[in-house]
Amino acid sequence: DKVNKALEDDRCFWSFEYFPPKTEPGVMNLYDRIERMCDLGPLFIDVTWRWGGKSSDLTLELCSVSQTVYGVEANMHMTCTNTNFSLIKNALEKAKDNGVQNILALRGDLPDGTVEFDPSVGEFKYATDLVRYIRQTYGSYFCISVAGYPEGCLGPEDIDRDIEYLKAKQDAGADLVITQLFYDVDNFLRWVDKCRKAGITIPILPGIMPIQNYGGFKRMTDLCRIKVPEEIWDRLEPIKDDDQAIKDYGIEVAASMIKQMQSAGVRGFHFYTVNLERSTRMVLEKLGFVPSVNEVRPLPWNPSLSEKRA
Ligand code: FAD
């Protein structure tokens, strides 16, 4: 609803993705960061999901605490393959009991070394199955988002088939698409056009990941098979050992991608923060979406005094 309202008002908005840290101090740091980043006015935050251990419980806890303590709406990721149905049912019930009303319904990656879905390990084969189950069981209680792949989940040669499957997720009850990260804006805009022509009418939020360091960027884009324009590699190569220069360039790239999308009418932007604050903040500042930390702004309770934002 919030996304549709922002789109109706034709105003830009943004959301932030986080993942559950592995250690207790990491969790405390993330809470501090989420709280500070709420100052940046995200429309909602997302928390990723992994079955096993305490990870999925922590995802729910991060969502629930962010909503009740920091007042920001949370979108909880949930994967469905190779998982017992009762665990999925239980997790959805817990989400509802904790006031979480947004689920990003995903298939999840198949276990390492597996290329085929194993029906003996769970009933859900595709994200569509989870979307359908949530919609049929909970009616309109949950807002359901799904993943979209501007460069294809199956690979570029199967993009049309992939779009058909995305349409099936909408038909099963999905309300919103959040895309895989990408760096080729023209390709994203062409893909959105194709989705619209295929009858996908729900909002599509592009996934933006500001580049943080050379090694991590290379690994991530290789792993997710993301095409990186030559020009970006050319700019990264001479600065690859200078982390600060890479981060600064990453901010420049993300801001210029958003500007290009904004000119094409895109209004919502989903940031893969990798639990970091600075790059996302700097991109939003660079675009003028939020005031700069150094900006002197009047205090509302005494306009004659001003204070630097902490
Ligand atoms: P699906 O939509 O089910 O698609 C999976 C594959 O099956 C695709 O190749 C698709 O083309 C094909 N397919 C779909 N429907 C059919 C059909 N009816 N018949 C035949 N083939 C079909 N992973 C995590 O583990 N945790 C997370 O928190 C997480 N968050 C993510 C967030 C976003 C925004 C994105 C883009 C990905 C995320 N992932 C996460 C990764 C995701 O789980 C994997 O990319 C996974 O391999 C695909 O999930 P999906 O929901 O897109 O699957």
Side-chain angles (χ1 to χ4, degrees):
D1 280 359
K2 279 188 168 177
V3 169
N4 284 323
K5 176 81 178 62
L7 291 171
E8 263 167 40
D9 296 348
D10 197 28
R11 66 182 166 86
C12 286
F13 61 94
W14 42 93
S15 50
F16 302 150
E17 183 193 279
Y18 303 99
F19 62 85
K22 291 208 167 80
T23 63
E24 198 49 41
V27 174
M28 297 328 288
N29 278 338
L30 180 59
Y31 275 128
D32 287 347
R33 203 157 283 162
I34 293 176
E35 182 175 21
R36 279 195 307 272
M37 288 179 80
C38 280
D39 278 0
L40 301 172
L43 198 66
F44 62 89
I45 64 152
D46 270 47
V47 185
T48 65
W49 183 269
R50 195 167 55 82
W51 289 103
K54 293 208 170 90
S55 184
S56 52
D57 287 344
L58 185 52
T59 294
L60 175 59
E61 183 197 297
L62 285 159
C63 287
S64 168
V65 170
S66 298
Q67 293 199 146
T68 50
V69 179
Y70 310 133
V72 64
E73 193 150 343
N75 188 20
M76 189 175 98
H77 295 204
M78 186 183 288
T79 62
C80 67
T81 46
N82 293 278
T83 305
N84 195 293
F85 178 54
S86 62
L87 289 177
I88 293 174
K89 243 170 94 176
N90 210 358
L92 286 166
E93 282 302 307
K94 275 207 226 160
K96 189 164 183 243
D97 291 347
N98 282 276
V100 173
Q101 285 194 272
N102 307 286
I103 304 284
L104 173 52
L106 299 147
R107 181 189 72 169
D109 288 320
L110 298 174
D112 283 350
T114 323
V115 284
E116 275 296 320
F117 166 71
D118 178 357
S120 67
V121 192
E123 7 276 87
F124 294 138
K125 188 168 182 182
Y126 298 113
T128 323
D129 302 325
L130 179 59
V131 174
R132 191 175 300 111
Y133 173 76
I134 298 174
R135 193 52 86 216
Q136 283 173 357
T137 314
Y138 294 95
S140 58
Y141 178 80
F142 286 110
C143 164
I144 307 172
S145 42
V146 290
Y149 300 83
E151 290 168 25
C153 188
L154 299 159
E157 60 288 352
D158 281 312
I159 208 116
D160 292 340
R161 201 145 50 93
D162 232 14
I163 290 176
E164 273 173 39
Y165 298 142
L166 184 57
K167 169 77 164 46
K169 295 198 244 189
Q170 171 183 281
D171 295 346
D175 299 298
L176 176 71
V177 178
I178 299 181
T179 80
Q180 178 63 287
L181 56 107
F182 61 88
Y183 293 90
D184 184 341
V185 173
D186 289 329
N187 180 67
F188 164 75
L189 295 172
R190 279 194 300 273
W191 176 79
V192 172
D193 249 17
K194 279 189 159 195
C195 290
R196 297 304 181 216
K197 286 191 180 116
I200 296 168
T201 53
I202 55 179
I204 297 178
L205 300 191
I208 314 285
M209 184 186 276
I211 306 167
Q212 300 287 350
N213 65 69
Y214 186 86
F217 178 65
K218 176 117 193 32
R219 264 193 311 280
M220 173 66 89
T221 49
D222 281 352
L223 183 77
C224 303
R225 289 182 292 166
I226 306 299
K227 201 178 102 219
V228 179
E230 262 325 295
E231 182 200 330
I232 294 186
W233 287 127
D234 290 348
R235 288 284 303 275
L236 287 174
E237 199 53 39
I239 52 170
K240 68 179 180 192
D241 297 321
D242 181 344
D243 273 1
Q244 194 52 52
I246 295 266
K247 284 183 172 57
D248 291 344
Y249 176 59
I251 291 163
E252 189 187 315
V253 170
S256 117
M257 287 173 66
I258 291 176
K259 261 196 200 144
Q260 191 185 341
M261 287 188 266
Q262 204 185 345
S263 318
V266 180
R267 293 293 175 261
F269 306 97
H270 183 71
F271 284 85
Y272 290 103
T273 69
V274 286
N275 289 1
L276 299 172
E277 178 178 349
R278 183 177 173 272
S279 293
T280 301
R281 179 183 285 277
M282 298 295 285
V283 171
L284 293 172
E285 284 185 11
K286 208 173 164 70
L287 290 160
F289 288 178
V290 300
S292 145
V293 277
N294 296 318
E295 197 171 312
V296 176
R297 38 155 59 184
L299 291 170
W301 58 91
N302 186 347
S304 65
L305 293 176
S306 345
E307 170 183 89
K308 274 192 172 191
R309 291 171 79 227

